[in-house]
Amino acid sequence: MLDPQLTIEQSQMVVWDADTQQLIPNGIQPPGLDKSTVRLMAQKKYLQAKLTQFLREDRIQLWKPPYTDENKKVGLALKGLAKKYSDKLECCENEVEKIIEEIRCKAIERGTGNENYRTTGIATIEVFLPPRLRKDRKNLLETRLHITGRELRSKIAETFGFQENYIKIVINKKQLQLGKTLEEQGVTHNVKAMVLELKQSEEDMRKNFQLEEEEQNEAELKEKQIERTKRGLEILAKRAAETVVDPERMPYLDIANQTGRSIKIPRSERKALMLAMGYHEKGRAFLKRKEYGIALPCLLDADKYFCECCRELLDTVDNYAVLQLDIVWCYFRLEQLECLDDAEKKLNLAQKCFKNCYGENHQRLVHIKGNCGKEKVLFLRLYLLQGIRNYHSGNDVEARECLNKAQQLFKELYIDPSKVDNLLQLGFTAQEARLGLRACDGNVDHAATHITNRREELAKIRKEEKEKTRHHLENIRSLKGMGYSTHVAQQALHEASGNLDEALKILLSNPLMWWLNDSNPETNNHQESPSQENIDQLVYMGFDTLVAKAALRVFRGNVQLAAQTLAHNGGSLPAELPLSPEGSLSSPATSPSDSAGTSSASTDEDMETEAVNEILEDIPEHEEDYLDSTLEDEEITIAEYLSYVENIKSATKKN
């Protein structure tokens, strides 16, 4: 919705940690790892980030003496460095020394790779594997950059034990294109590549043949689903780029503001915006189903198309900001946040967009919608992700501050289940209940009134929008009755802002416009040479015989258009019309393929409708669906990361 959001019309298992007295999400930890291991891994990442920060501040170059000798072995000075930083962090010296040594080895490894690239042209790619295959070391792959994406995918599959057709590669926040070379896609030395797996490991599948078959079928279905998504969105975006489409005959997506009213978007940007919003909605549908590996490519495609829209539009709606949060959240749930080099940039961009869209203290949002309770869920997600990013960057103070803000918002937004039940008994949906209660600060009576008023308001708007569409379609039918094609009628009405009389004047004053732009076959089926009957009709109306013949040739035998144009121009044809020798202006002869096209048209349309309907199924009916959340995942994650921040020093001392 414009001002502030453009729209297109599961519970999680937890385990109780007796040590920290916290609920830890079972779904967040990698398969096969217990909660203690997960906590230790998080703490180690924090120490690595913190020590890297200290080394950068002190301008320590670990790959040089006195920390590395001429044989690239560790120098004695490293122990002194470990002592200094362990005192600063108040944690175990041995643990700090071990992590600094790992950082030193990685720096030397990187330097060796850089030298190798300069001399041989062989680049190094850091590969980030799915959680089940992740080890406590870097996965490096050497390759030349002139190979195709398909060759790289094959090399990754062979090296790390995947089935090639069931993985996707994301590099530089874009899905790897198989037909282009790595150089063409901007892949460089030392780039990070993330592997998205569409099925489980071969080892697991060998345990059960039936499971193998099911998972393979599932992977193939997911791949086909992604392709259908792209096809369906392309169809919908193409239809939406038209001036008007009959929704009874051909479904399409529309763009509406926060009240539900359709808004006008420049045609030059409409298709890109529709694709961006369509991919975003599809990605959000996968997020809801926790299918993060499929959601991410959709979200990244949405980001690509949003960037084709003007900056002014992106700064005045919150769609783009919400997308940034969804992308960072998806990387987090895939446990690949380190692959997103610009996570901080994306979160800052989201924060800036929210400020531009909602106002400094949400005053613009309150003016438009009367409250800002529902939008607070977006800020909770923003603060949570900022806290997570700061934690993994070694900024514990900032992390604690952001996580506390997220926790405070959670307390404000928490909804008593009994209040939701009360509204359900009144006939409202659970989604309406949650949104209504947050909009009304938890007051059940006010929420019921708010939901009822909103239903009535939307019903009124939909009726008005339907009437506008009906009126527009009637105007198109009127122009078609005069002999113009649907395509030309749409174009003329668009230029006339929907006014039928003005549209007719435009068409009569500019016959060349419709003649050159009419690619619609419905006006191209007239006979090649004008019939004597049609000539006689025009002569009977008072037009000259030669002029009548010429007009009928120009207008492909259409008596109405010929008569209207001759009458409008005083009995002659406009000079700008291309009056070439007889026969040159006749419509192309109908080819056998054209005549046969009607038999397959219904089949093609059925296939299109199937692809489109699959998209429409995932487009939420409620215009504020993106604001509805049970906050179960957020609650668990806040508790988890607060426990990390609060216990980091004591945990490292214990180690």
Side-chain angles (χ1 to χ4, degrees):
M1 285 182 185
L2 189 62
D3 301 336
Q5 166 80 12
L6 292 171
T7 59
I8 307 180
E9 297 258 54
Q10 305 180 12
S11 65
Q12 184 174 21
M13 292 180 63
V14 297
V15 293
W16 179 254
D17 186 339
D19 296 332
T20 62
Q21 299 295 298
Q22 297 284 354
L23 282 173
I24 301 297
N26 193 40
I28 288 179
Q29 58 195 49
L33 300 180
D34 59 37
K35 55 184 180 296
S36 299
T37 305
V38 172
R39 189 186 311 111
L40 290 175
M41 288 172 60
Q43 290 165 354
K44 182 178 179 180
K45 282 186 178 181
Y46 168 82
L47 277 178
Q48 287 173 331
K50 199 72 177 175
L51 290 169
T52 301
Q53 181 182 329
F54 289 162
L55 291 167
R56 190 178 296 116
E57 291 172 354
D58 294 341
R59 299 185 179 180
I60 301 294
Q61 296 178 321
L62 291 175
W63 60 94
K64 293 182 178 180
Y67 310 105
T68 299
D69 63 21
E70 58 185 11
N71 297 319
K72 296 185 179 179
K73 300 295 183 182
V74 61
L76 295 176
L78 194 74
K79 284 191 173 292
L81 200 61
K83 176 69 168 64
K84 173 185 173 182
Y85 290 152
S86 63
D87 290 343
K88 194 172 182 178
L89 290 168
E90 300 180 16
C91 63
C92 175
E93 183 178 338
N94 289 338
E95 183 71 15
V96 170
E97 183 179 351
K98 181 180 176 182
I99 293 176
I100 294 177
E101 170 61 8
E102 288 180 8
I103 296 173
R104 187 190 72 86
C105 291
K106 289 176 182 177
I108 293 173
E109 191 176 64
R110 189 179 183 91
T112 303
N114 291 342
E115 181 63 29
N116 186 47
Y117 178 63
R118 282 192 292 269
T119 57
T120 67
I122 297 177
T124 300
I125 294 178
E126 185 176 359
V127 181
F128 288 80
L129 302 175
R132 71 175 184 84
L133 296 175
R134 199 169 306 156
K135 297 179 176 64
D136 192 18
R137 61 176 175 80
K138 281 190 176 182
N139 299 289
L140 302 179
L141 188 73
E142 293 185 339
T143 181
R144 295 193 181 275
L145 299 178
H146 60 71
I147 68 171
T148 64
R150 181 172 283 102
E151 289 173 303
L152 177 63
R153 184 183 70 168
S154 178
K155 186 177 289 190
I156 288 176
E158 181 181 354
T159 303
F160 300 105
F162 296 105
Q163 285 198 27
E164 182 178 342
N165 292 331
Y166 302 134
I167 59 172
K168 289 189 176 294
I169 313 297
V170 173
I171 299 180
N172 293 331
K173 300 178 293 299
K174 294 178 182 177
Q175 189 174 322
L176 187 69
Q177 298 182 52
L178 302 182
K180 292 185 177 181
T181 67
L182 303 186
E183 290 174 322
E184 290 174 330
Q185 299 182 65
V187 177
T188 58
H189 174 57
N190 283 332
V191 77
K192 296 176 180 178
M194 184 173 70
V195 179
L196 299 176
E197 191 177 23
L198 298 182
K199 65 172 192 157
Q200 299 298 312
S201 68
E202 291 297 317
E203 182 181 352
D204 291 339
M205 289 190 295
R206 277 193 290 267
K207 295 177 180 177
N208 189 314
F209 178 78
Q210 184 178 0
L211 179 62
E212 177 180 2
E213 187 176 5
E214 289 175 356
E215 289 178 344
Q216 183 163 331
N217 291 338
E218 181 184 358
E220 291 173 351
L221 286 172
K222 287 180 178 179
E223 181 65 28
K224 291 178 181 177
Q225 190 174 22
I226 291 171
E227 291 305 315
R228 285 198 303 273
T229 293
K230 291 182 178 180
R231 182 183 178 194
L233 285 172
E234 286 284 348
I235 295 169
L236 287 168
K238 181 180 177 181
R239 293 176 183 174
E242 299 174 3
T243 307
V244 68
V245 176
D246 187 348
E248 299 296 329
R249 183 179 65 87
M250 193 180 297
Y252 75 113
L253 301 182
D254 195 13
I255 303 174
N257 62 16
Q258 83 289 346
T259 65
R261 298 184 186 278
S262 298
I263 61 174
K264 292 183 179 180
I265 300 292
R267 296 187 72 178
S268 59
E269 296 184 21
R270 189 174 181 90
K271 183 176 180 180
L273 183 59
M274 293 304 305
L275 285 170
M277 295 169 63
Y279 274 115
H280 190 187
E281 290 294 354
K282 194 68 180 177
R284 289 184 65 250
F286 287 128
L287 279 179
K288 288 180 182 179
R289 297 194 285 268
K290 304 187 186 301
E291 296 182 64
Y292 304 110
I294 305 181
L296 184 57
C298 290
L299 297 175
L300 295 178
D301 280 338
D303 196 43
K304 176 183 71 175
Y305 285 111
F306 265 125
C307 289
E308 294 180 12
C309 301
C310 69
R311 188 75 248 174
E312 182 181 358
L313 176 64
L314 299 185
D315 285 340
T316 53
V317 299
D318 66 2
N319 299 68
Y320 193 50
V322 174
L323 175 62
Q324 305 311 303
L325 295 185
D326 288 340
I327 289 174
V328 179
W329 182 257
C330 200
Y331 272 95
F332 164 64
R333 297 314 299 256
L334 286 166
E335 301 173 46
Q336 301 282 18
L337 202 54
E338 54 202 329
C339 289
L340 191 61
D341 294 329
D342 63 347
E344 182 178 11
K345 179 182 175 182
K346 285 191 174 295
L347 295 175
N348 288 341
L349 177 60
Q351 194 163 24
K352 179 183 176 183
C353 286
F354 285 140
K355 181 179 178 181
N356 291 339
C357 184
Y358 296 161
E360 185 68 41
N361 296 306
H362 302 172
Q363 70 271 17
R364 185 163 176 260
L365 180 63
V366 173
H367 175 72
I368 294 169
K369 302 181 75 171
N371 65 81
C372 61
K374 292 170 284 190
E375 280 71 17
K376 287 182 179 179
V377 298
L378 301 177
F379 288 91
L380 186 152
R381 176 71 64 87
L382 172 65
Y383 297 146
L384 172 55
L385 289 172
Q386 286 176 331
I388 293 170
R389 196 209 67 80
N390 276 307
Y391 174 79
H392 288 297
S393 299
N395 303 321
D396 53 320
V397 176
E398 293 86 346
R400 183 182 294 106
E401 180 182 343
C402 292
L403 291 168
N404 284 334
K405 288 165 72 174
Q407 187 179 52
Q408 181 58 40
L409 271 181
F410 174 79
K411 292 177 180 177
E412 291 181 27
L413 296 171
Y414 174 77
I415 297 175
D416 185 343
S418 64
K419 294 182 178 181
V420 174
D421 290 338
N422 289 339
L423 290 171
L424 290 176
Q425 292 175 12
L426 295 177
F428 302 121
T429 67
Q431 184 178 66
E432 287 177 322
R434 285 190 295 268
L435 291 169
L437 287 167
R438 285 183 181 138
C440 300
D441 297 323
N443 187 299
V444 175
D445 293 334
H446 292 174
T449 302
H450 173 84
I451 298 169
T452 301
N453 291 342
R454 184 59 184 152
R455 280 184 173 184
E456 293 173 353
E457 182 183 355
L458 281 175
K460 179 181 177 183
I461 290 170
R462 286 168 184 155
K463 184 178 179 181
E464 292 174 359
E465 292 295 321
K466 188 174 182 179
E467 179 60 26
K468 284 169 59 177
T469 300
R470 186 193 64 78
H471 182 67
H472 204 137
L473 290 171
E474 284 182 356
N475 288 344
I476 289 176
R477 293 189 188 101
S478 296
L479 291 176
K480 286 179 67 178
M482 299 175 192
Y484 298 104
S485 71
T486 302
H487 173 74
V488 169
Q490 287 177 338
Q491 186 174 350
L493 285 166
H494 178 72
E495 293 189 15
S497 300
N499 186 291
L500 179 61
D501 293 335
E502 290 298 320
L504 186 57
K505 288 180 182 178
I506 290 172
L507 290 170
L508 292 174
S509 302
N510 302 278
L512 185 62
M513 180 197 80
W514 82 261
W515 193 89
L516 292 177
N517 290 305
D518 188 8
S519 59
N520 196 316
E522 64 189 83
T523 59
N524 293 333
N525 57 1
H526 298 286
Q527 59 190 15
E528 189 167 329
S529 299
S531 67
Q532 187 61 45
E533 181 183 355
N534 289 346
I535 295 171
D536 291 343
Q537 286 187 52
L538 292 179
V539 171
Y540 181 78
M541 295 178 193
F543 301 117
D544 180 79
T545 302
L546 292 178
V547 174
K549 287 182 179 180
L552 287 169
R553 285 198 302 271
V554 169
F555 296 114
R556 301 160 187 159
N558 191 307
V559 177
Q560 287 178 303
L561 292 180
Q564 289 169 3
T565 303
L566 291 174
H568 188 74
N569 291 277
S572 62
L573 287 171
E576 67 269 18
L577 278 175
L579 301 176
S580 54
E582 184 170 358
S584 63
L585 291 177
S586 61
S587 60
T590 304
S591 65
S593 61
D594 292 333
S595 60
T598 54
S599 62
S600 62
S602 59
T603 303
D604 292 340
E605 188 166 329
D606 288 343
M607 292 175 65
E608 286 191 357
T609 301
E610 182 180 343
V612 166
N613 286 340
E614 190 166 312
I615 299 296
L616 296 177
E617 286 175 3
D618 283 328
I619 303 298
E621 292 186 9
H622 201 289
E623 74 283 358
E624 291 181 328
D625 178 82
Y626 73 109
L627 299 175
D628 178 41
S629 172
T630 62
L631 298 180
E632 291 176 358
D633 288 350
E634 286 83 352
E635 178 185 14
I636 294 168
T637 308
I638 289 170
E640 178 186 12
Y641 273 85
L642 275 176
S643 72
Y644 291 168
V645 170
E646 297 300 331
N647 298 322
I648 187 67
K649 289 185 179 180
S650 60
T652 48
K653 281 182 180 180
K654 185 186 296 184
N655 290 336

